[in-house]
Amino acid sequence: MVNKFDEQIQAFMRKTELRNSNEPEFIQAVHEVAETVIPFMTKNKSYKKANILERLVEPERVVMFRVPWFTDKGEYMVNRGYRVEMNSAIGPYKGGLRFHPSVNLSILKFLAFEQVFKNSLTTLPLGGGKGGSDFNPKGRSDREILCFCQSFMTELSRHIGSNTDVPAGDIGVGSREIGYLFGQYKRIQNEFTGVLTGKGLSYGGSLIRPEATGYGAVYFAHQMLLKNKMDFQGLSVAISGSGNVAQFVCEKVIELGGVPVSMSDSSGFIYDKNGIDTEKLKFIKKLKNIKRGRIKEYAAHYGCEYFKDKKPWGIKSDVAFPCATQNELDEESAKELVKNGIKCVTEGANMPTTPQAIEVFHKNNVLFSPGKASNAGGVATSGLEMSQNSLRISWTREEVDSRLKDIMIGIHNTCVEFGKDGKQINYVKGANIGGFIKVADAMIAQGHV
Ligand code: NDP
């Protein structure tokens, strides 16, 4: 995007790059925000005077620690653990934990930074944070996972708390890991509090939390389609990933009459021209959540095509949901999608679309929503889990789902309000400015924080 604020944006980015060298993902996330927030700040002098953006890109605190553990064979292992406590202006730090070999400070700072805006957009009192480890859970036994989680929480426990910092799951951290982490926190602190979200229903979890990110993304996409006089009925839908977010995107798309035709994992993608229906999705859930197998087994079972080491962006689809990981949809892929008539791209993952790909979508009038808006349903429902824990009550499935839907509609409206760009809505601009205002106002109100 070229605009008359380029010089200011470049000056700000030069300074940020200097202070955060070797952190490309973090720089990418900051740049995307700076491009839309800097022009907005120049019209609102109090933000500029308070130097808010420079303060926002500096984490309030970063914790790094050693995580020693041992394998079933008795080998001594060590990984690195992190918690980035980015911003607590509007509430306790909130954001997931990621266990993946690619985890490093750049990735966690980008995720924590995005989380600040996302959490603000939900309208709930949630600050932003993110954490995790470069631990690879793939192929590890339950006992090894337990050993790792206990060691990780032994150190993390001193930095978190239900009014301080409330982690949740992310890539590689699902209900099993949250259970092990919660158990260890309780043993160390001798208190049963809502210190983690995504908990099991038997010990303080919320109904709809597992479904929330995926359902929320589809509710958001539905709003975008409705605003443009379309809906999901009969639309073919490309989904990447086959984990938590992808599974529940698939489920809600089927419910709304769309036809999911692809899912993937880090080894490749399946293309099921006949559509993934409820029965087939059940197979995927069992394959991924219980057997912990690979997506190619779906192709073998249902006799559909499997593309090794490829992403599903070359297939014909009306709507795309990237739900695996950052930068998984590049410029080339965006051009392919446009060529094949894509109408709407909704990010389920965090920053899965590169800046060049976003530009392709904007230039071609493809509806595009950034993850900080469209995947906010997960953290919103985590916020609802925190409320239920504090009140010591449990809301029904319908109650939580209806609150989730209202929150997603609210976020969509915020994006529309702040994202006007001629006759179009620029959802990236809308989400950045809409998320920014509340945090910036709170920081100014609280003095020099
Ligand atoms: P899961 O671990 O449940 O699933 C991740 C999926 O993405 C798996 O299919 C995995 O394949 C695939 N994947 C992971 N890394 C890569 C990679 N480098 N290349 C290709 N595929 C990859 O994670 P979630 O579904 O929870 O998270 C997915 C995305 O959604 C992440 O960006 C996360 O930050 C974001 N998100 C998640 C939320 C949640 O509530 N869970 C909330 C908001 C955002 P494989 O099994 O082969 O590794």
Side-chain angles (χ1 to χ4, degrees):
M1 190 194 295
V2 179
N3 64 43
K4 62 181 175 176
F5 301 101
D6 266 359
E7 238 169 71
Q8 283 180 60
I9 295 166
Q10 277 166 23
F12 171 76
M13 287 312 302
R14 268 196 302 277
K15 207 165 169 185
T16 310
E17 279 166 30
L18 212 60
R19 286 170 71 80
N20 302 277
S21 51
N22 300 320
E23 294 184 358
E25 293 86 0
F26 179 57
I27 296 296
Q28 183 183 333
V30 172
H31 192 227
E32 188 203 282
V33 167
E35 272 190 329
T36 48
V37 165
I38 287 179
F40 172 75
M41 286 203 315
T42 53
K43 288 184 235 139
N44 297 268
K45 299 275 184 288
S46 59
Y47 298 136
K48 211 161 173 235
K49 190 166 160 232
N51 207 9
I52 286 294
L53 203 52
E54 275 194 40
R55 284 154 65 183
L56 263 172
V57 299
E58 206 53 48
E60 287 177 17
R61 187 177 303 110
V62 176
V63 186
M64 283 173 67
F65 50 94
R66 180 202 301 159
V67 189
W69 59 284
F70 49 86
T71 65
D72 290 344
K73 289 187 197 138
E75 299 156 291
Y76 285 82
M77 311 291 277
V78 65
N79 283 93
R80 190 172 282 176
Y82 304 83
R83 188 70 182 163
V84 178
E85 296 183 334
M86 198 78 192
N87 196 302
S88 62
I90 62 169
Y93 310 106
K94 181 90 198 85
L97 298 171
R98 177 177 290 192
F99 291 170
H100 193 272
S102 65
V103 162
N104 58 33
L105 204 50
S106 172
I107 289 180
L108 294 180
K109 278 173 69 181
F110 117 63
L111 289 164
F113 183 69
E114 293 267 299
Q115 197 81 46
V116 174
F117 294 81
K118 182 188 310 191
N119 294 4
S120 166
L121 283 167
T122 66
T123 71
L124 301 174
L126 305 168
K130 200 83 188 187
S133 173
D134 58 359
F135 170 68
N136 187 358
K138 247 181 231 147
R140 292 288 169 202
S141 69
D142 272 359
R143 203 169 133 208
E144 287 170 330
I145 300 282
L146 173 65
C147 177
F148 178 83
C149 287
Q150 291 191 334
S151 181
F152 183 84
M153 184 51 88
T154 300
E155 174 59 33
L156 186 69
S157 61
R158 72 187 77 214
H159 307 290
I160 61 175
S162 56
N163 290 314
T164 315
D165 184 351
V166 184
D170 191 76
I171 292 178
V173 179
S175 56
R176 171 182 59 172
E177 290 75 19
I178 292 290
Y180 294 163
L181 292 163
F182 183 78
Q184 183 71 352
Y185 180 87
K186 191 164 58 67
R187 286 166 83 195
I188 292 170
Q189 301 291 350
N190 193 29
E191 58 175 27
F192 194 114
T193 60
V195 70
L196 290 162
T197 58
K199 300 186 291 297
L201 286 179
S202 58
Y203 63 96
S206 172
L207 286 159
I208 298 287
R209 176 60 190 93
E211 295 90 338
T213 308
Y215 279 16
V218 179
Y219 292 149
F220 194 95
H222 199 208
Q223 289 303 306
M224 294 167 90
L225 292 173
L226 289 177
K227 196 164 167 46
N228 289 275
K229 303 188 175 34
M230 294 181 269
D231 69 22
F232 271 105
Q233 203 59 46
L235 295 188
S236 74
V237 178
I239 301 169
S240 68
S242 49
N244 172 271
V245 180
Q247 290 172 18
F248 290 105
V249 161
C250 187
E251 187 164 294
K252 190 51 82 176
V253 165
I254 296 170
E255 207 183 302
L256 294 182
V259 185
V261 289
S262 75
M263 283 179 102
S264 71
D265 59 24
S266 54
S267 311
F269 80 92
I270 55 116
Y271 179 31
D272 188 342
K273 286 184 186 137
N274 299 323
I276 302 170
D277 59 18
T278 308
E279 263 321 291
K280 292 172 176 175
L281 178 59
K282 211 187 260 177
F283 175 90
I284 292 175
K285 285 187 183 172
K286 192 165 170 204
L287 175 69
K288 285 292 169 181
N289 308 344
I290 297 165
K291 284 174 66 188
R292 301 190 188 273
R294 309 306 295 158
I295 198 72
K296 72 171 178 208
E297 294 170 49
Y298 175 101
H301 189 80
Y302 289 108
C304 74
E305 288 178 275
Y306 172 70
F307 296 85
K308 190 172 179 298
D309 295 329
K310 292 260 180 331
K311 297 179 169 59
W313 313 129
I315 62 176
K316 187 161 171 46
S317 57
D318 301 302
V319 181
F321 285 94
C323 298
T325 195
Q326 62 274 359
N327 293 328
E328 55 164 314
L329 200 169
D330 62 11
E331 187 176 3
E332 263 328 276
S333 313
K335 285 180 180 161
E336 278 286 299
L337 284 167
V338 169
K339 197 176 81 193
N340 285 321
I342 194 82
K343 299 176 175 71
C344 174
V345 178
T346 298
E347 291 190 337
N350 285 309
M351 209 171 74
T353 316
T354 64
Q356 297 77 14
I358 296 175
E359 213 172 317
V360 171
F361 293 140
H362 281 160
K363 274 192 184 144
N364 289 279
N365 293 329
V366 175
L367 298 169
F368 172 80
S369 69
K372 61 171 79 82
S374 44
N375 73 26
V379 74
T381 309
S382 278
L384 302 178
E385 182 174 331
M386 287 162 73
S387 303
Q388 293 170 79
N389 290 166
S390 297
L391 296 167
R392 302 199 189 281
I393 56 168
S394 300
W395 291 325
T396 62
R397 208 181 150 78
E398 292 70 28
E399 167 105 49
V400 182
D401 196 25
S402 123
R403 284 176 192 257
L404 167 65
K405 203 180 278 174
D406 286 348
I407 290 171
M408 296 315 296
I409 293 173
I411 297 174
H412 181 265
N413 292 343
T414 302
C415 290
V416 170
E417 181 183 348
F418 294 103
K420 291 202 173 69
D421 209 0
K423 282 194 180 147
Q424 309 289 338
I425 303 299
N426 178 334
Y427 285 87
V428 175
K429 177 179 164 193
N432 288 343
I433 297 174
F436 169 82
I437 293 173
K438 185 174 164 194
V439 179
D441 288 349
M443 286 172 79
I444 291 172
Q446 289 169 34
H448 202 65
V449 293

